[in-house]
Amino acid sequence: MNKDFKMTATTLFGLESVLANELKQLGAQDVKEGIRVVSFRGDTGFMYKANIALRTAVRILKPIKVCKIYDEEDLYEAIQKIKWENYLETEGTFAIGAVVNSKNFTSNSHYISLKSKDAIADYFRHKYSKRPNVDLDYPDLKIHIHIHKEWLTVSLDSSGDSLHKRGYRTATNIAPINEVLAAGMVLLSGYTGEENFIDPMCGSGTILIEAAMIANNIPANINRKLFAFENWKDYNEDLYFTIQDALLKKIRSSHFKIMGFDKAPSAVQKAQANIENANLSEFIGVHHVNFFNSKKEVFGNTTILFNPPYGERLNIDTEEFYKKIGDTLKHNYPGSMAWLITSDIDALKCVGLRTSKRIALKNGDLNCKFVKYELYEGTRKFRTEKEISDTDTDTNMEK
């Protein structure tokens, strides 16, 4: 019988609750949120499923040892006590990543990685007179060392490359948004595919693609070529394909519009190429349109979600640019819920619309706000008491 074991899924700041909800919906047990991480329990098949299906996970780690340590020698001894032949052949290759947050360790994470590497190499050399080699690019086994205060956690990285590398994006613009962040924003907006969706400044199309996969319940990493667990000694290929087939059978078809605009022809071409790579051309339309000259041309409820230029990407008058965003939304997109992310908090004051929700996120190293504007049909005086009470609620999610 395949036993359950503890795993951890890492994520981006502000997406912990979204990831926890994803895990619960997939069937994970004992789901607990941390800072940029969510722990859970599941079996091997669930580990495969989590890698294929989760939209807001960066990687899935399988802890194999947890213990207390107080210095580098304790670290060395603890790693030497692991039966590494259960996970790695002497002819195999491995790589180690480390995160250290402890006053007991003055060494940097690179040194901790080297010390851990020596412990594994010496383990094999003493027991088998030969040792596996290090391969930082394509290792057979990727090991994650985490030291928090006096606690050491040694984990196997079941994902390999970060799970934001979906496998569909080959063409990019300047500062493309991370796929995990894009999916997280779509999920935070509440979009499920039961209404129209527009990204009016779509760039290379990442937000559109993540929205289309959510609308059609397509697994996030179905286009990915390789997961690290496929190189593990206990990899069960039949189980993997059984899990994959079960997820594919749950794909549905959304019949609402998903559209992207961009004023740059080159961006439109890149978006179309990425959409084609993701096999989503039948669900997404991308058009060479300047958002400021556009208007809502679809009937019914519509989610508008975009990542306008900010920071170093914005070489124009910030006040005027964000004022035009607000004017265009207010006058041309009634009956819509508009969301945008920006690190330029002062620029939000120029939009001229009242936010009904503000969520703290990070885009790379930038502290951002993900804000919501409710764009009503006609006059605002008919809003319900609940809508009024919800106005300007601040969902900071600071931890």
Side-chain angles (χ1 to χ4, degrees):
M1 191 75 176
N2 202 347
K3 293 182 179 180
D4 284 1
F5 49 87
K6 183 177 179 180
M7 288 173 269
T8 55
T10 62
T11 189
L12 304 179
F13 171 82
L15 299 182
E16 296 91 345
S17 63
V18 182
L19 175 56
N21 188 54
E22 278 199 274
L23 281 161
K24 290 172 185 175
Q25 289 182 346
L26 270 186
Q29 303 298 312
D30 197 22
V31 178
K32 295 177 182 177
E33 294 179 39
I35 299 174
R36 296 186 181 87
V37 69
V38 179
S39 66
F40 62 98
R41 295 188 69 84
D43 59 13
T44 299
F46 190 85
M47 183 182 70
Y48 297 169
K49 181 162 70 168
N51 275 283
I52 301 168
L54 288 175
R55 305 183 192 282
T56 56
V58 174
R59 59 185 70 252
I60 310 297
L61 303 175
K62 178 183 180 180
I64 57 172
K65 186 178 184 67
V66 178
C67 65
K68 283 189 173 183
I69 60 172
Y70 298 96
D71 55 30
E72 283 84 355
E73 288 309 309
D74 286 348
L75 169 69
Y76 182 91
E77 291 178 12
I79 291 177
Q80 281 250 305
K81 290 178 180 177
I82 297 172
K83 294 183 178 180
W84 287 106
E85 64 268 33
N86 291 343
Y87 310 106
L88 186 62
E89 302 281 359
T90 54
E91 297 81 10
T93 58
F94 69 100
I96 298 178
V99 175
V100 182
N101 181 16
S102 173
K103 293 180 181 178
N104 297 332
F105 291 83
T106 57
S107 309
N108 60 28
S109 58
H110 180 64
Y111 178 80
I112 296 300
S113 295
L114 290 176
K115 191 74 174 178
S116 303
K117 181 266 293 182
D118 289 343
I120 295 172
D122 291 346
Y123 174 92
F124 278 98
R125 189 182 291 111
H126 293 154
K127 198 165 186 179
Y128 300 102
S129 299
K130 56 182 178 178
R131 47 153 291 189
N133 292 319
V134 171
D135 185 339
L136 299 179
D137 296 321
Y138 304 104
D140 295 322
L141 190 70
K142 196 168 184 179
I143 302 159
H144 187 265
I145 305 294
H146 186 264
I147 301 173
H148 180 67
K149 296 181 180 179
E150 70 273 19
W151 285 101
L152 165 69
T153 304
V154 182
S155 302
L156 306 184
D157 182 349
S158 72
S159 306
D161 283 343
S162 168
L163 292 175
H164 83 273
K165 296 182 179 180
R166 312 283 206 220
Y168 63 73
R169 192 165 73 181
T170 57
T172 61
N173 292 320
I174 297 171
I177 196 163
N178 179 294
E179 290 88 336
V180 165
L181 178 57
M185 292 192 302
V186 175
L187 291 171
L188 282 168
S189 78
Y191 173 77
T192 61
E194 296 301 312
E195 60 185 43
N196 303 307
F197 185 94
I198 299 173
D199 179 351
M201 299 180 184
C202 70
S204 56
T206 305
I207 292 173
L208 293 171
I209 292 170
E210 295 298 325
M213 288 199 290
I214 288 168
N216 294 283
N217 202 34
I218 297 170
N221 286 298
I222 201 65
N223 294 301
R224 190 173 161 118
K225 296 292 189 291
L226 182 71
F227 297 101
F229 61 72
E230 294 179 63
N231 290 323
W232 289 7
K233 292 182 71 173
D234 64 351
Y235 172 54
N236 186 331
E237 186 176 62
D238 290 340
L239 177 61
Y240 172 76
F241 283 114
T242 298
I243 296 294
Q244 185 185 71
D245 289 345
L247 288 168
L248 290 173
K249 287 177 182 176
K250 293 181 180 179
I251 291 176
R252 57 176 179 251
S253 292
S254 172
H255 301 292
F256 290 85
K257 296 282 188 181
I258 300 176
M259 295 180 293
F261 308 149
D262 206 285
K263 68 176 185 178
S266 60
V268 172
Q269 291 172 0
K270 290 173 182 176
Q272 289 172 335
N274 290 332
I275 291 165
E276 186 174 342
N277 288 339
N279 300 307
L280 293 170
S281 298
E282 65 181 292
F283 301 109
I284 305 171
V286 183
H287 309 281
H288 178 210
V289 173
N290 185 332
F291 170 58
F292 299 137
N293 299 328
S294 70
K295 63 180 180 179
K296 184 179 177 183
E297 295 183 350
V298 289
F299 294 104
N301 295 334
T302 301
T303 295
I304 301 169
L305 196 157
F306 59 117
N307 174 34
Y310 50 86
E312 296 178 359
R313 297 169 58 211
L314 190 58
N315 297 316
I316 55 178
D317 187 308
T318 304
E319 184 175 339
E320 179 187 4
F321 186 80
Y322 276 78
K323 181 179 182 301
K324 287 172 72 176
I325 287 177
D327 289 345
T328 305
L329 290 173
K330 180 168 59 178
H331 297 301
N332 296 1
Y333 285 88
S336 303
M337 297 294 173
W339 294 79
L340 67 85
I341 185 172
T342 184
S343 66
D344 195 336
I345 309 306
D346 290 334
L348 288 177
K349 300 172 185 176
C350 303
V351 173
L353 298 171
R354 203 172 187 187
T355 59
S356 62
K357 190 169 285 188
R358 300 164 70 93
I359 300 172
L361 296 174
K362 287 183 79 74
N363 186 0
D365 294 329
L366 297 174
N367 293 317
C368 296
K369 288 290 184 181
F370 184 47
V371 299
K372 177 183 181 182
Y373 301 105
E374 301 183 31
L375 309 166
Y376 296 93
E377 298 270 10
T379 178
R380 295 169 65 100
K381 69 181 180 181
F382 296 110
R383 292 166 62 193
T384 66
E385 289 182 8
K386 181 181 185 303
E387 287 170 334
I388 292 170
S389 67
D390 285 347
T391 299
D392 272 336
T393 55
D394 195 311
T395 312
N396 278 322
M397 299 173 71
E398 306 272 2
K399 300 209 185 234

